Amino acid sequence: MSIKNKKVAFYTLGCKVNQYESESLKNQLVKIGYEEEQFENKADIYIVNSCTVTSIADKKTRNVLRRAKKMNPESIVIVTGCYAQTNSKELLEIEEIDFVVGNSNKSGLVNFIQDIESKKSKILTENIFEERAYEEYEFATLREMSRAYIKIQDGCNNFCSYCKIPFGRGKSRSRSLESICKEVEVLTREGFKEFIIIGINLGAYGEDLNSDVNLEKLLETVVKQQGVERVRIGSMYPDKISDRFINIMKENEKLMPHLHISLQSCDNNVLERMRRNYGSELILERLLKLRNAVQNMEYTADVIVGFPGETDEMFENTYNVIKSIGFSDLHVFQYSDREKTLANTFTDKIDVNIKKKRAEKLEELRKEMAKERREKYIGKELEVLVEEVKDDGCSYGYSQNYLRIKTLVATSGVNELVKVGISNLEKELLIANEKGKRTE
């Protein structure tokens, strides 16, 4: 069968970085003649881009891989991504998997596929820690409705005690500012107005470059590019929110007043055992200072409950700090052991029922905060980027501070920036009764 007749299907787990990389690989394969197929349909090649941030992600990856072979027993099944990098030999023991290609070789996966019939080894992974420079992907133009993602960095040097990601992604490596600006330029010409800056550890951007470039410099540069209307920043560590960062957020209206915070805990003892380089006092001081400086600033966050040794008092400390700050959303995870990590060796593990109760308590707080943070916008005007117009005649999109808005009288089209008056709240969806005014 010729390449032009071959169908390839992708399944991507995990973060936006993985999704960005899958999009790049997909684009490259389509360019050389492969036809993209939905994963649930029969294809010649199935590519699963894996995640290993939790044991649940590992399990889901294995299930997806087995499902692929069932859809076409004659197909070639390839697993790549973080789980492929950290557990290549384990994955190859699964009979449904044909090839394992780690993150260290992911960017070369298209060439690998073109020459796949000559491959003698079924594993293609190298030491990820030998990667010293950022690996450029062909511009991925990962689109999510009216937004486009820009990957600026890979890897992480922190080695938090619970986290397996450095073993899957390697050390921090930054993309050149020139390459980033070029991709933004291409995407603005395609009509994109909003860009989301993504990476594994954004705050470390530029630390490995022999220049004065850092995250703050990058943000100042990107917002000045012609055609850029909105810039969002992905996940941030609290200790990377510098005074300069706060000032840039305050002075640039194109930087959206929302941050996703890699919080994990707000108790000093737990943070120390997690090997986070800050305490709860810094979390409070930085996040409240930024909120006071930037109008309508909102936060979302990741939190781990039931970390080894976490007492009821330590959990309550986290609960109280989160409540005092106020978050528009939380992603709550129950701690799970990850091989190769320091926390995996800790003996003071928390009972599963206790972890469940703590997660449920934080989930109740999440609902309370989500309602409280959104109610304050009723009667006010917010700017929304329209992402979709549904058959019910309503339009949907996100405000500058990443609150989802439903406009009952649809705006004229997708990818428009409009100002709408918020009339009420339905669950966690802000409602605007009247058609919005286009932003001049």
Side-chain angles (χ1 to χ4, degrees), residues 254-298:
K254 290 182 180 180
L255 287 172
M256 296 296 93
H258 166 263
L259 281 182
H260 184 75
I261 307 297
S262 178
L263 202 62
Q264 313 312 349
S265 177
C266 298
D267 175 81
N268 288 339
N269 290 302
V270 174
L271 287 167
E272 185 177 357
R273 293 194 86 197
M274 284 181 167
R275 296 180 68 175
R276 308 288 272 190
N277 298 317
Y278 54 85
S280 60
E281 296 81 5
L282 180 138
I283 295 171
L284 272 167
E285 190 271 331
R286 291 286 88 187
L287 268 59
L288 294 179
K289 184 171 184 177
L290 179 56
R291 176 168 280 160
N292 289 334
V294 178
Q295 185 179 12
N296 294 337
M297 188 72 202
E298 294 293 347

Short mmCIF file of all heavy atoms in Angstrom, two decimals, residues 254-298:
data_model
loop_
_atom_site.label_atom_id
_atom_site.label_comp_id
_atom_site.label_asym_id
_atom_site.label_seq_id
_atom_site.Cartn_x
_atom_site.Cartn_y
_atom_site.Cartn_z
N LYS A 254 -3.22 43.49 26.84
CA LYS A 254 -3.29 42.30 25.99
C LYS A 254 -2.95 41.02 26.76
O LYS A 254 -3.26 39.92 26.30
CB LYS A 254 -2.36 42.45 24.79
CG LYS A 254 -2.82 43.50 23.79
CD LYS A 254 -1.89 43.57 22.59
CE LYS A 254 -2.36 44.62 21.59
NZ LYS A 254 -1.47 44.70 20.41
N LEU A 255 -2.32 41.16 27.92
CA LEU A 255 -2.07 40.00 28.78
C LEU A 255 -3.32 39.75 29.61
O LEU A 255 -3.75 40.61 30.38
CB LEU A 255 -0.86 40.25 29.67
CG LEU A 255 0.50 40.21 28.97
CD1 LEU A 255 1.60 40.67 29.92
CD2 LEU A 255 0.81 38.81 28.46
N MET A 256 -3.89 38.58 29.45
CA MET A 256 -5.17 38.29 30.08
C MET A 256 -5.03 38.12 31.59
O MET A 256 -4.08 37.47 32.07
CB MET A 256 -5.78 37.03 29.46
CG MET A 256 -6.12 37.17 27.98
SD MET A 256 -7.39 38.41 27.62
CE MET A 256 -6.43 39.88 27.26
N PRO A 257 -5.98 38.67 32.35
CA PRO A 257 -5.92 38.63 33.82
C PRO A 257 -6.35 37.29 34.40
O PRO A 257 -7.31 37.18 35.16
CB PRO A 257 -6.88 39.76 34.23
CG PRO A 257 -7.89 39.80 33.13
CD PRO A 257 -7.13 39.46 31.87
N HIS A 258 -5.64 36.25 34.02
CA HIS A 258 -5.90 34.91 34.55
C HIS A 258 -4.60 34.13 34.56
O HIS A 258 -3.80 34.20 33.62
CB HIS A 258 -6.92 34.16 33.70
CG HIS A 258 -6.95 32.68 34.00
ND1 HIS A 258 -6.27 31.74 33.24
CD2 HIS A 258 -7.54 31.99 35.01
CE1 HIS A 258 -6.46 30.54 33.76
NE2 HIS A 258 -7.22 30.66 34.82
N LEU A 259 -4.37 33.37 35.63
CA LEU A 259 -3.23 32.47 35.70
C LEU A 259 -3.68 31.14 36.27
O LEU A 259 -4.50 31.09 37.20
CB LEU A 259 -2.12 33.02 36.60
CG LEU A 259 -1.18 34.09 36.05
CD1 LEU A 259 -0.15 34.45 37.11
CD2 LEU A 259 -0.49 33.64 34.78
N HIS A 260 -3.12 30.05 35.71
CA HIS A 260 -3.29 28.74 36.32
C HIS A 260 -2.06 28.49 37.19
O HIS A 260 -0.93 28.49 36.69
CB HIS A 260 -3.43 27.65 35.27
CG HIS A 260 -3.71 26.31 35.86
ND1 HIS A 260 -4.95 25.95 36.36
CD2 HIS A 260 -2.90 25.24 36.07
CE1 HIS A 260 -4.89 24.73 36.84
NE2 HIS A 260 -3.65 24.28 36.68
N ILE A 261 -2.29 28.30 38.47
CA ILE A 261 -1.19 28.20 39.44
C ILE A 261 -0.90 26.73 39.77
O ILE A 261 -1.80 25.97 40.14
CB ILE A 261 -1.52 28.96 40.74
CG1 ILE A 261 -1.93 30.40 40.43
CG2 ILE A 261 -0.33 28.92 41.69
CD1 ILE A 261 -0.85 31.24 39.78
N SER A 262 0.37 26.34 39.64
CA SER A 262 0.81 25.02 40.09
C SER A 262 1.00 25.10 41.60
O SER A 262 2.09 25.38 42.09
CB SER A 262 2.12 24.63 39.39
OG SER A 262 2.57 23.38 39.86
N LEU A 263 -0.08 24.88 42.32
CA LEU A 263 -0.12 25.14 43.77
C LEU A 263 0.32 23.91 44.56
O LEU A 263 1.24 23.97 45.36
CB LEU A 263 -1.55 25.54 44.14
CG LEU A 263 -1.77 26.34 45.41
CD1 LEU A 263 -1.07 27.68 45.34
CD2 LEU A 263 -3.28 26.56 45.62
N GLN A 264 -0.39 22.81 44.38
CA GLN A 264 -0.16 21.49 44.98
C GLN A 264 -0.44 21.45 46.48
O GLN A 264 -1.08 20.53 46.95
CB GLN A 264 1.26 20.98 44.67
CG GLN A 264 1.70 21.11 43.23
CD GLN A 264 0.70 20.61 42.20
OE1 GLN A 264 -0.30 19.98 42.52
NE2 GLN A 264 0.95 20.93 40.95
N SER A 265 0.07 22.40 47.25
CA SER A 265 -0.21 22.46 48.69
C SER A 265 0.02 23.89 49.16
O SER A 265 0.70 24.67 48.48
CB SER A 265 0.70 21.51 49.46
OG SER A 265 0.47 21.63 50.86
N CYS A 266 -0.58 24.21 50.32
CA CYS A 266 -0.33 25.52 50.93
C CYS A 266 0.10 25.35 52.39
O CYS A 266 -0.07 26.25 53.21
CB CYS A 266 -1.58 26.40 50.85
SG CYS A 266 -2.12 26.78 49.19
N ASP A 267 0.63 24.19 52.71
CA ASP A 267 1.17 23.94 54.04
C ASP A 267 2.68 23.87 53.96
O ASP A 267 3.23 23.18 53.09
CB ASP A 267 0.62 22.62 54.61
CG ASP A 267 1.25 22.27 55.94
OD1 ASP A 267 0.81 22.82 56.97
OD2 ASP A 267 2.21 21.46 55.94
N ASN A 268 3.36 24.55 54.85
CA ASN A 268 4.83 24.65 54.77
C ASN A 268 5.52 23.30 54.91
O ASN A 268 6.51 23.04 54.21
CB ASN A 268 5.34 25.61 55.84
CG ASN A 268 5.01 27.05 55.51
OD1 ASN A 268 4.75 27.38 54.35
ND2 ASN A 268 5.01 27.92 56.51
N ASN A 269 5.04 22.44 55.79
CA ASN A 269 5.66 21.13 55.97
C ASN A 269 5.53 20.27 54.72
O ASN A 269 6.48 19.63 54.28
CB ASN A 269 5.03 20.40 57.16
CG ASN A 269 5.39 21.04 58.49
OD1 ASN A 269 6.56 21.16 58.83
ND2 ASN A 269 4.38 21.46 59.24
N VAL A 270 4.32 20.27 54.14
CA VAL A 270 4.08 19.49 52.92
C VAL A 270 4.88 20.06 51.76
O VAL A 270 5.51 19.31 51.00
CB VAL A 270 2.57 19.44 52.59
CG1 VAL A 270 2.35 18.75 51.24
CG2 VAL A 270 1.80 18.72 53.69
N LEU A 271 4.90 21.37 51.63
CA LEU A 271 5.66 22.01 50.55
C LEU A 271 7.14 21.66 50.64
O LEU A 271 7.79 21.41 49.62
CB LEU A 271 5.46 23.53 50.59
CG LEU A 271 4.10 24.04 50.14
CD1 LEU A 271 3.91 25.50 50.53
CD2 LEU A 271 3.93 23.87 48.62
N GLU A 272 7.67 21.62 51.85
CA GLU A 272 9.08 21.27 52.02
C GLU A 272 9.35 19.84 51.59
O GLU A 272 10.33 19.55 50.91
CB GLU A 272 9.49 21.48 53.48
CG GLU A 272 10.97 21.25 53.73
CD GLU A 272 11.39 21.54 55.15
OE1 GLU A 272 10.55 21.98 55.96
OE2 GLU A 272 12.57 21.30 55.48
N ARG A 273 8.46 18.92 51.99
CA ARG A 273 8.64 17.52 51.60
C ARG A 273 8.40 17.30 50.11
O ARG A 273 8.93 16.37 49.51
CB ARG A 273 7.69 16.61 52.40
CG ARG A 273 8.01 16.56 53.89
CD ARG A 273 7.26 15.42 54.55
NE ARG A 273 8.01 14.16 54.45
CZ ARG A 273 7.46 12.97 54.64
NH1 ARG A 273 6.17 12.86 54.88
NH2 ARG A 273 8.18 11.87 54.56
N MET A 274 7.60 18.17 49.51
CA MET A 274 7.38 18.13 48.07
C MET A 274 8.58 18.69 47.30
O MET A 274 8.65 18.58 46.09
CB MET A 274 6.14 18.93 47.69
CG MET A 274 4.81 18.26 48.00
SD MET A 274 3.43 19.32 47.47
CE MET A 274 2.06 18.17 47.55
N ARG A 275 9.49 19.34 48.04
CA ARG A 275 10.67 20.00 47.47
C ARG A 275 10.28 21.20 46.61
O ARG A 275 10.87 21.48 45.58
CB ARG A 275 11.52 19.00 46.66
CG ARG A 275 12.10 17.89 47.53
CD ARG A 275 12.94 16.90 46.75
NE ARG A 275 14.17 17.49 46.26
CZ ARG A 275 15.13 16.81 45.61
NH1 ARG A 275 14.98 15.51 45.40
NH2 ARG A 275 16.21 17.40 45.19
N ARG A 276 9.24 21.90 47.08
CA ARG A 276 8.89 23.18 46.48
C ARG A 276 9.75 24.24 47.18
O ARG A 276 10.00 24.15 48.38
CB ARG A 276 7.42 23.50 46.67
CG ARG A 276 6.48 22.39 46.22
CD ARG A 276 6.42 22.24 44.73
NE ARG A 276 5.40 23.10 44.15
CZ ARG A 276 5.00 23.03 42.89
NH1 ARG A 276 5.55 22.14 42.08
NH2 ARG A 276 4.08 23.83 42.41
N ASN A 277 10.17 25.25 46.45
CA ASN A 277 11.14 26.20 46.98
C ASN A 277 10.51 27.45 47.59
O ASN A 277 11.04 28.54 47.45
CB ASN A 277 12.12 26.60 45.88
CG ASN A 277 12.90 25.41 45.35
OD1 ASN A 277 13.37 24.58 46.13
ND2 ASN A 277 13.03 25.31 44.04
N TYR A 278 9.38 27.29 48.23
CA TYR A 278 8.68 28.42 48.84
C TYR A 278 7.69 27.90 49.87
O TYR A 278 7.45 26.69 49.96
CB TYR A 278 7.93 29.22 47.75
CG TYR A 278 7.02 28.37 46.91
CD1 TYR A 278 5.73 28.08 47.32
CD2 TYR A 278 7.46 27.82 45.71
CE1 TYR A 278 4.90 27.28 46.58
CE2 TYR A 278 6.64 27.01 44.95
CZ TYR A 278 5.35 26.75 45.39
OH TYR A 278 4.54 25.93 44.65
N GLY A 279 7.10 28.83 50.62
CA GLY A 279 6.12 28.46 51.63
C GLY A 279 4.78 29.14 51.39
O GLY A 279 4.60 29.88 50.43
N SER A 280 3.84 28.90 52.30
CA SER A 280 2.49 29.43 52.14
C SER A 280 2.46 30.96 52.20
O SER A 280 1.61 31.60 51.57
CB SER A 280 1.56 28.84 53.20
OG SER A 280 2.02 29.18 54.50
N GLU A 281 3.41 31.54 52.96
CA GLU A 281 3.44 33.00 53.06
C GLU A 281 3.71 33.62 51.70
O GLU A 281 3.10 34.64 51.34
CB GLU A 281 4.52 33.44 54.06
CG GLU A 281 4.28 33.00 55.50
CD GLU A 281 4.71 31.55 55.75
OE1 GLU A 281 5.29 30.91 54.82
OE2 GLU A 281 4.44 31.05 56.86
N LEU A 282 4.62 33.03 50.93
CA LEU A 282 4.91 33.55 49.60
C LEU A 282 3.69 33.38 48.68
O LEU A 282 3.39 34.29 47.89
CB LEU A 282 6.12 32.83 48.99
CG LEU A 282 6.52 33.31 47.59
CD1 LEU A 282 8.03 33.43 47.46
CD2 LEU A 282 5.97 32.38 46.49
N ILE A 283 3.02 32.24 48.77
CA ILE A 283 1.83 32.02 47.94
C ILE A 283 0.81 33.14 48.16
O ILE A 283 0.33 33.76 47.21
CB ILE A 283 1.18 30.65 48.26
CG1 ILE A 283 2.11 29.51 47.87
CG2 ILE A 283 -0.17 30.51 47.54
CD1 ILE A 283 1.65 28.14 48.35
N LEU A 284 0.50 33.39 49.42
CA LEU A 284 -0.46 34.44 49.75
C LEU A 284 0.01 35.81 49.27
O LEU A 284 -0.75 36.55 48.62
CB LEU A 284 -0.69 34.48 51.26
CG LEU A 284 -1.77 33.57 51.83
CD1 LEU A 284 -1.64 33.50 53.34
CD2 LEU A 284 -3.16 34.09 51.45
N GLU A 285 1.24 36.15 49.57
CA GLU A 285 1.76 37.48 49.25
C GLU A 285 1.79 37.72 47.75
O GLU A 285 1.35 38.78 47.26
CB GLU A 285 3.17 37.62 49.85
CG GLU A 285 3.73 39.03 49.80
CD GLU A 285 4.48 39.34 48.52
OE1 GLU A 285 5.04 38.39 47.93
OE2 GLU A 285 4.50 40.52 48.11
N ARG A 286 2.28 36.74 46.97
CA ARG A 286 2.41 36.94 45.53
C ARG A 286 1.04 37.00 44.83
O ARG A 286 0.79 37.87 44.00
CB ARG A 286 3.23 35.80 44.90
CG ARG A 286 4.70 35.79 45.27
CD ARG A 286 5.49 36.89 44.55
NE ARG A 286 5.51 38.15 45.27
CZ ARG A 286 6.01 39.27 44.79
NH1 ARG A 286 6.53 39.31 43.58
NH2 ARG A 286 5.99 40.37 45.50
N LEU A 287 0.15 36.07 45.17
CA LEU A 287 -1.13 36.01 44.48
C LEU A 287 -2.02 37.19 44.85
O LEU A 287 -2.73 37.73 43.99
CB LEU A 287 -1.84 34.68 44.77
CG LEU A 287 -1.55 33.56 43.75
CD1 LEU A 287 -0.07 33.23 43.67
CD2 LEU A 287 -2.35 32.31 44.07
N LEU A 288 -1.99 37.61 46.10
CA LEU A 288 -2.80 38.76 46.50
C LEU A 288 -2.23 40.06 45.93
O LEU A 288 -2.98 40.97 45.55
CB LEU A 288 -2.91 38.84 48.02
CG LEU A 288 -3.69 37.69 48.67
CD1 LEU A 288 -3.72 37.85 50.19
CD2 LEU A 288 -5.11 37.59 48.11
N LYS A 289 -0.90 40.15 45.84
CA LYS A 289 -0.29 41.35 45.27
C LYS A 289 -0.65 41.48 43.79
O LYS A 289 -0.98 42.57 43.31
CB LYS A 289 1.23 41.32 45.44
CG LYS A 289 1.92 42.59 44.95
CD LYS A 289 3.39 42.63 45.34
CE LYS A 289 4.01 43.97 44.92
NZ LYS A 289 5.44 44.08 45.34
N LEU A 290 -0.60 40.37 43.07
CA LEU A 290 -0.96 40.40 41.65
C LEU A 290 -2.44 40.74 41.48
O LEU A 290 -2.80 41.53 40.60
CB LEU A 290 -0.64 39.05 41.01
CG LEU A 290 -0.98 38.90 39.52
CD1 LEU A 290 -0.30 39.97 38.68
CD2 LEU A 290 -0.57 37.51 39.02
N ARG A 291 -3.29 40.17 42.31
CA ARG A 291 -4.74 40.46 42.20
C ARG A 291 -5.03 41.93 42.50
O ARG A 291 -5.88 42.55 41.85
CB ARG A 291 -5.54 39.55 43.14
CG ARG A 291 -7.04 39.86 43.14
CD ARG A 291 -7.84 38.79 43.84
NE ARG A 291 -8.05 37.63 42.98
CZ ARG A 291 -8.37 36.42 43.40
NH1 ARG A 291 -8.45 36.20 44.71
NH2 ARG A 291 -8.58 35.44 42.56
N ASN A 292 -4.32 42.50 43.46
CA ASN A 292 -4.53 43.92 43.79
C ASN A 292 -4.05 44.84 42.67
O ASN A 292 -4.56 45.95 42.50
CB ASN A 292 -3.81 44.27 45.10
CG ASN A 292 -4.47 43.66 46.32
OD1 ASN A 292 -5.67 43.39 46.31
ND2 ASN A 292 -3.70 43.42 47.36
N ALA A 293 -3.06 44.36 41.90
CA ALA A 293 -2.48 45.19 40.84
C ALA A 293 -3.25 45.10 39.53
O ALA A 293 -3.24 46.06 38.75
CB ALA A 293 -1.02 44.78 40.61
N VAL A 294 -3.89 43.96 39.28
CA VAL A 294 -4.52 43.71 37.97
C VAL A 294 -6.04 43.58 38.14
O VAL A 294 -6.51 42.73 38.89
CB VAL A 294 -3.94 42.44 37.32
CG1 VAL A 294 -4.63 42.15 35.99
CG2 VAL A 294 -2.44 42.59 37.12
N GLN A 295 -6.77 44.42 37.42
CA GLN A 295 -8.23 44.41 37.51
C GLN A 295 -8.81 43.07 37.06
O GLN A 295 -8.40 42.52 36.05
CB GLN A 295 -8.81 45.54 36.66
CG GLN A 295 -10.32 45.70 36.79
CD GLN A 295 -10.84 46.84 35.94
OE1 GLN A 295 -10.14 47.37 35.08
NE2 GLN A 295 -12.08 47.25 36.18
N ASN A 296 -9.77 42.57 37.83
CA ASN A 296 -10.50 41.33 37.51
C ASN A 296 -9.60 40.09 37.41
O ASN A 296 -9.91 39.13 36.70
CB ASN A 296 -11.30 41.47 36.21
CG ASN A 296 -12.42 42.48 36.33
OD1 ASN A 296 -12.89 42.77 37.43
ND2 ASN A 296 -12.86 43.03 35.21
N MET A 297 -8.48 40.10 38.13
CA MET A 297 -7.56 38.96 38.10
C MET A 297 -8.22 37.72 38.71
O MET A 297 -8.78 37.77 39.79
CB MET A 297 -6.29 39.29 38.90
CG MET A 297 -5.19 38.26 38.77
SD MET A 297 -4.42 38.32 37.14
CE MET A 297 -3.70 36.68 37.05
N GLU A 298 -8.14 36.60 37.98
CA GLU A 298 -8.68 35.34 38.47
C GLU A 298 -7.63 34.25 38.39
O GLU A 298 -6.73 34.28 37.55
CB GLU A 298 -9.91 34.93 37.65
CG GLU A 298 -11.12 35.84 37.81
CD GLU A 298 -11.75 35.81 39.19
OE1 GLU A 298 -11.41 34.90 39.98
OE2 GLU A 298 -12.57 36.70 39.48
#
